[in-house]
Amino acid sequence: MRLLVTGGAGFMGSNFVHYIYASRPDAEILVYDKFTYAGRIENLKELDTSRVKIVKGDILDQEKFTETLKAFQPDYVVHFAAETHVDRSIKDPSIFIDVNVKGVYIILEALRRHDGPKLIHISTDEVYGDISGEPVTEEAPFKPSSPYSASKASGDLLCQAYWRTYSLPVRIVRPSNNYGPRQFPEKLIPKTILRALNGLPIPVYGDGSQERDWLYVEDFSRGLETIILRGRDGEAYNLPGLNPKTNIQVIQDILTLLGKPHSLITFVPDRPGHDKRYAMRGDKVLSLGWKPQTPWLDGLRKTIEWYKANEWWWRPLLGDEFFSKDTPWGGTR
Ligand SMILES: NC(=O)c1ccc[n+]([C@@H]2O[C@H](COP(=O)([O-])OP(=O)(O)OC[C@H]3O[C@@H](n4cnc5c(N)ncnc54)[C@H](O)[C@@H]3O)[C@@H](O)[C@H]2O)c1
C-alpha cells in the first residue's frame, strides 16, 4: 500500500504515520508537509527513510504537489494538512480559507487530472456545530460556528461535490477531539499538562461546561486504517470517541493524575462563538468492525507520561508567553 500523507508532520498525521509504519510492513509512505509552526521533523525522526519519504511542500503549491503525486504514484492520498487552531482562526481567518478551502480544491484538482489514487479527506466533527440534542449521524446539516470550522466545512463540501460531479473517489472522515503524544501545546490537553507540570494556573473558558468527545489518537489511527481498508468511496464516516467529557472534567482528571491541586483552575471570559457540545453517532464506522479501545484514564495517563518523558520535544516550543500568568487560554481546539 502506498500512502501520500499531507500534514504528516503534525499531531494526528505523524501518529497515523507511526501507526501504519508499525502495523503494515508493506506500507510505503510519503509525507508532504509545509512544516508550519505545527509540523515538526522531530515527529518523524525514528522512521526508516527507505519506507517513509519526506517532502517539504505547501499544498497551495499546485505544481509541486502534482509533481510529487506523479512521481510517487500513491494508492491513497490521506489529507490531514490544515490550519487547525480555532483561536488563531478567530484572530485572523485568512490563512484558514487559503489552506482549508483552496488547499482542498488544489488537491481535488490534482487528483481529478491524475487517474488512480483515492482521496481520504480528514474533516472534523466541528462541521456540525453545536449539538444540543441526540448525537448526530453523517446526514446532519452543517452549522459551523468559527472561521476554522466553516473553512473545514467548505473543504468537506468540495469533496462531496467532486464525488457527485466527477465521481472522484473520495472518503470523508470526521473525527472527534483527539488527544495523545505530539500534540502542539496550544491545545487543551497538552497545555493543561504542561502548565500544571510547571505549577501555573490553568485558565478555563467560561464555566468549563463545554462538552467534547475525546478519542485517543491511536484509536483514531486504527479507525482511519479501517476506513481505508473497508470503507466505501463517496461516503462520509464519523469517527467518535464515545467518551464525552466537559472541559472542567478533563482538567480535573489531569490535575488528579499529576497530583496537582484543583485550585490551579482559574475561570476566564468565554471564547466568542464557543460551541457548547459536539456529539456524533458512529454507527457507520462501528459496522466496519472498529471501536475505540483505550479507556479515557489509560489514554490520559499515557499522554501525561509521554509529555513527562519528552521535555526535549516541548520545551523549545514554549515562549515566555506560555509561562506568563496572564496568558489567555488557548482553548479546546
Ligand atoms: N486535533 C484534533 O482533535 C482534530 C479533530 C478533528 C479533525 N482534525 C483535523 O485533522 C487534521 C490534522 O489535525 P492536527 O491536530 O494533527 O493538526 P496539526 O496542526 O497538529 O498539524 C497540521 C499539519 O499540517 C501541516 N500544514 C499546514 N498547512 C500546510 C500547507 N499549506 N501545506 C502543507 N502542509 C501544511 C503542518 O505543517 C502540520 O504538520 C486537520 O485537518 C484537522 O482539521 C483534528
Side-chain angles (χ1 to χ4, degrees), residues 97-130:
I97 310 305
D98 289 344
V99 179
N100 301 355
V101 186
K102 184 136 194 239
V104 176
Y105 160 74
I106 285 175
I107 285 173
L108 288 165
E109 274 300 297
L111 288 173
R112 185 160 83 85
R113 290 162 204 287
H114 182 90
D115 247 5
K118 294 176 189 288
L119 176 62
I120 311 291
H121 175 70
I122 311 301
S123 182
T124 171
D125 61 350
E126 296 199 30
V127 297
Y128 302 119
D130 233 345

Side-chain angles (χ1 to χ4, degrees), residues 131-137 140 277-281:
I131 306 299
S132 54
E134 288 299 305
V136 295
T137 70
R277 175 171 174 259
Y278 300 131
M280 297 185 298
R281 294 186 65 88

